[in-house]
Amino acid sequence: MIVMQGQGVSSGIAIAPIAFYKRQSVVEEKTSVCADEEWQRFCTASQKAQSELERLTEKARQEAGEEASLLFETHQMMLDDEDYRDAIEAKIKEDKLSAIMAVQAVTDQFANMFRAMQDSYMQAREADIKDIGMRLIRILSGQENHRLSFEESVILAADDLAPSETIQLDKSKIVGFLLSGGAAAGHTAILARTMGIPAVIGLGKSLLSSYEGRMAILDGGTGSVIVEPNEDMLKRYRERKKQDAEKQSWMQELKGKPNRTRDGHEVRVYCNISTPNDVHAVMANDGGGIGLFRSEFLYLNSDDYPTEEEQFEAYKSVLADMAGKRVIIRTCDIGADKQIDYFGLPKEDNPAMGMRALRISLSRPLFFRSQLRALYRASVFGRLGIMFPMVTSVWEVREAKKCCESVKQELKKEGIPYKNDVELGIMIETPAAALISDKLAKEVDFFSCGTNDLVQYTLACDRQNHDLGRFYDPHHLSLLRLIKLATDNAHQNGIWIGICGELAADTALTETFLAMGIDELSVSPRFVLPLRQAVRDIDTRISREKILQELSYG
Ligand code: PEP
Ligand code: MG
């Protein structure tokens, strides 16, 4: 029995023999080529790659949701990128390289360039360009798309898997995967979670090719992998797997039930979404409403500013689909890790602390007004709340509200209908906002705590830096105290408060949030039912005083 320890990035238990993923190798020994023929070969391969990517985009949309499909839309755009193609053409026509060698050389060059970039979003493009290069080379060398098909259930092992390889995993046979490399925040790990395939990454040199065909247990929750487990171990893990499956099925029975504690306290469990299509997942998981619609997708998924009409259609569709349930749409949160070329933002040394979110909206009134006009126009189709991100001062909120008023007046003059009772709220995601939440609460209808940013700004820990380990501590007392302070100030001023950062789904803190009096927890749709169960298991009378005591000063 051999035990390996890696990083669990997608929970669940898999029990099956290990099968190594064998990529086909490329044999190319051309020394002299006809440039025109090679360029033509490249163009044909590129068209074929586009068609494959179109099919993959659709497959990802159906199996892993809209966010996953955006990844392959990005691949389509990158494949068509003029700089990439021009560089390949130059290698073929000027350096007289074969199409395969040209693709390899240019892909390496682009991958190095992305890797050297400061911005983590751009760094992540390295994996994408390599994925595109691999696809082109496979097609150019006449190999069929390797389907990763197996006769029996296996745990797939590899050095790394490209996102496009991950999406093609046949879930009926590949019951888990193991990587010697990989990154927890990488797209491959995110896809594994969305597709529900247990996965362990970062096994390094402990993952040996001699394990091929040997029985193994993979625990995607703890990150441990046991090769050739003994009977006792197998029995234990089979039992846990059975319990997991049972849990999944009784979770379904929670649908339609209230998010009510044993002593009768209710909390709203809402969902975070990124695109209008995600509403299906909200419905399927019985989310009570939408606590955060990250409107950035419209901007990230476009080559130019989306028009007012395009924005209106997206907001209208979410509001109409949610049929009167509350929908909080956050105004554009661009900047920091979400950079968009056409915004032409100047390069900053410290973008997380620079021009982002509401700061951009207030500095670019035309851009802000077009989003507000679209939002107010859509307001008649449901129950809308508008939320401003990255607030630090009262004047910012007043200025944003003034823009809302002016947009309403404009619509009124134009005879365009809008609702007058749209709720206006802010995110509490900077320590400044939490510390002056008594003042801010007088300005708005609600607060929503963005704990992802609140952790990074409170603990001075970059949320993109995955090496910070235990220093990045979302349970830190300072953070909980800031949330408690904002909650008290919200309630003293008669407004509601929610949490929409990742921490909302952390059931180890559900009791603490309920003790504070949080009104709403907004989470990824798949966390709605587990969170509902956690709420229903709590009796706030038991530990409330103790929890509040721990949060208090002195
Ligand atoms: C947050 O900061 O917690 C949040 C919900 O916003 P985002 O993750 O989009 O920055
Ligand atoms: Mg945030």
Side-chain angles (χ1 to χ4, degrees):
M1 195 163 79
I2 304 149
V3 180
M4 296 185 276
Q5 188 60 45
Q7 192 181 2
V9 290
S10 178
S11 61
I13 289 167
I15 304 174
I18 293 179
F20 273 82
Y21 175 38
K22 295 173 192 71
R23 292 191 180 90
Q24 286 144 304
S25 55
V26 178
V27 185
E28 160 112 330
E29 286 178 9
K30 286 194 184 174
T31 43
S32 68
V33 297
C34 164
D36 286 341
E37 261 176 35
E38 287 302 301
W39 174 242
Q40 204 39 56
R41 258 182 87 207
F42 168 78
C43 293
T44 312
S46 167
Q47 272 170 9
K48 187 157 181 218
Q50 273 300 357
S51 320
E52 284 184 9
L53 284 168
E54 276 163 30
R55 285 195 295 276
L56 262 186
T57 306
E58 201 38 50
K59 184 172 163 62
R61 181 170 290 125
Q62 282 167 14
E63 293 181 13
E66 195 67 20
E67 211 161 331
S69 76
L70 287 182
L71 177 63
F72 299 106
E73 278 180 16
T74 309
H75 282 203
Q76 289 181 48
M77 279 184 321
M78 287 171 80
L79 175 60
D80 267 346
D81 178 74
E82 252 178 54
D83 291 341
Y84 184 60
R85 295 179 74 89
D86 288 352
I88 291 173
E89 189 171 8
K91 287 270 178 233
I92 293 175
K93 294 193 175 161
E94 289 159 28
D95 300 350
K96 304 284 180 248
L97 292 189
S98 71
I100 290 183
M101 285 161 76
V103 169
Q104 189 65 65
V106 173
T107 304
D108 287 348
Q109 185 187 325
F110 273 59
N112 291 339
M113 184 181 75
F114 284 128
R115 194 182 321 128
M117 286 183 176
Q118 289 282 323
D119 178 73
S120 52
Y121 176 81
M122 294 310 289
Q123 280 173 354
R125 303 282 74 79
E126 181 194 346
D128 296 321
I129 200 76
K130 283 182 169 168
D131 198 346
I132 293 164
M134 251 165 41
R135 177 176 305 283
L136 283 168
I137 289 170
R138 175 183 49 74
I139 295 171
L140 281 165
S141 53
Q143 293 168 8
E144 277 312 302
N145 200 354
H146 193 42
R147 286 243 152 240
L148 296 173
S149 51
F150 295 90
E151 296 288 305
E152 303 291 335
S153 293
V154 293
I155 291 176
L156 191 73
D159 48 356
D160 204 350
L161 280 175
S164 65
E165 290 169 326
T166 313
I167 196 76
Q168 291 183 80
L169 299 181
D170 173 4
K171 266 204 287 182
S172 67
K173 292 290 185 296
I174 295 170
V175 293
F177 68 79
L178 303 174
L179 300 182
S180 48
H187 282 124
T188 298
I190 292 170
L191 277 175
R193 286 192 285 275
T194 325
M195 294 165 76
I197 300 182
V200 173
I201 65 168
L203 287 161
K205 292 201 168 77
S206 60
L207 180 59
L208 304 179
S209 55
S210 58
Y211 296 158
E212 170 81 33
R214 299 208 215 168
M215 182 55 111
I217 298 172
L218 174 163
D219 185 340
T222 62
S224 57
V225 181
I226 304 159
V227 184
E228 292 188 330
N230 59 30
E231 266 315 305
D232 203 36
M233 197 66 97
L234 269 175
K235 203 167 140 213
R236 244 189 300 149
Y237 274 92
R238 282 196 182 116
E239 185 55 31
R240 272 191 49 197
K241 199 167 148 55
K242 195 168 136 229
Q243 283 167 0
D244 281 0
E246 281 164 9
K247 190 169 163 196
Q248 279 303 324
S249 91
W250 63 249
M251 277 287 169
Q252 299 307 312
E253 288 170 22
L254 284 171
K255 287 189 184 164
K257 301 235 166 93
N259 308 300
R260 191 182 296 139
T261 62
R262 284 202 241 154
D263 54 324
H265 284 279
E266 283 212 29
V267 63
R268 302 195 298 264
V269 178
Y270 278 20
C271 292
N272 297 346
I273 63 164
S274 302
T275 75
N277 265 345
D278 295 340
V279 170
H280 302 302
V282 179
M283 301 294 195
N285 288 281
D286 202 23
I290 289 169
L292 169 64
F293 176 12
R294 292 179 161 99
S295 67
E296 304 78 87
F297 95 96
L298 274 170
Y299 303 84
L300 288 165
N301 201 19
S302 166
D303 290 335
D304 203 345
Y305 293 99
T307 62
E308 179 186 316
E309 210 51 36
E310 283 163 343
Q311 298 181 70
F312 165 70
E313 287 299 335
Y315 306 147
K316 174 181 150 186
S317 108
V318 172
L319 284 158
D321 287 350
M322 288 303 290
K325 291 183 175 171
R326 189 192 258 132
V327 176
I328 306 290
I329 303 184
R330 175 175 76 182
T331 59
C332 188
D333 186 3
I334 285 298
D337 55 319
K338 296 173 213 150
Q339 295 290 335
I340 299 180
D341 280 351
Y342 63 80
F343 268 67
L345 293 170
K347 193 163 164 26
E348 296 174 288
D349 285 342
N350 220 337
M353 300 215 189
M355 259 305 172
R356 65 170 288 198
L358 186 61
R359 294 175 182 179
I360 296 178
S361 300
L362 294 180
S363 311
R364 300 185 180 199
L366 285 181
F367 153 75
F368 193 30
R369 288 178 77 85
S370 114
Q371 182 167 32
L372 291 176
R373 275 181 62 98
L375 284 165
Y376 275 103
R377 283 175 56 200
S379 65
V380 291
F381 294 92
R383 182 175 175 195
L384 173 68
I386 298 176
M387 176 155 76
F388 304 117
M390 184 74 181
V391 165
T392 54
S393 305
V394 171
W395 69 263
E396 297 164 339
V397 181
R398 291 200 178 135
E399 213 170 294
K401 279 165 50 185
K402 232 183 190 165
C403 283
C404 292
E405 274 316 306
S406 141
V407 159
K408 279 158 65 178
Q409 291 313 318
E410 194 174 79
L411 292 175
K412 195 169 184 180
K413 266 199 217 134
E414 293 169 20
I416 298 175
Y418 61 89
K419 269 198 183 162
N420 230 339
D421 59 356
V422 171
E423 286 180 297
L424 292 183
I426 56 167
M427 297 199 62
I428 301 287
E429 53 184 350
T430 63
L435 290 166
I436 60 162
S437 50
D438 55 331
K439 310 274 182 227
L440 291 167
K442 295 183 173 54
E443 301 291 331
V444 291
D445 302 307
F446 67 89
F447 287 160
S448 185
C449 296
T451 50
N452 307 336
D453 277 313
L454 194 56
V455 176
Q456 90 162 336
Y457 294 129
T458 306
L459 302 183
C461 277
D462 179 358
R463 66 189 265 190
Q464 301 294 322
N465 183 343
H466 298 283
D467 293 331
L468 284 169
R470 64 201 163 117
F471 298 104
Y472 185 96
D473 172 15
H475 290 210
H476 200 282
L477 179 60
S478 59
L479 182 89
L480 299 176
R481 279 187 175 163
L482 288 174
I483 299 175
K484 165 84 167 51
L485 177 67
T487 308
D488 290 345
N489 283 326
H491 291 163
Q492 274 160 28
N493 287 280
I495 67 169
W496 62 264
I497 180 164
I499 298 179
C500 64
E502 295 299 302
L503 215 54
D506 184 342
T507 49
L509 283 175
T510 310
E511 197 162 2
T512 304
F513 294 147
L514 291 180
M516 288 180 189
I518 289 287
D519 302 291
E520 176 182 304
L521 295 166
S522 190
V523 297
S524 286
R526 71 198 175 95
F527 292 130
V528 168
L529 296 175
L531 186 54
R532 176 167 301 163
Q533 184 56 47
V535 170
R536 293 168 67 84
D537 284 343
I538 289 171
D539 184 332
T540 64
R541 289 167 301 191
I542 298 172
S543 317
R544 187 169 183 277
E545 288 314 314
K546 187 166 164 275
I547 292 172
L548 293 181
Q549 182 63 33
E550 280 166 7
L551 294 179
S552 66
Y553 294 82

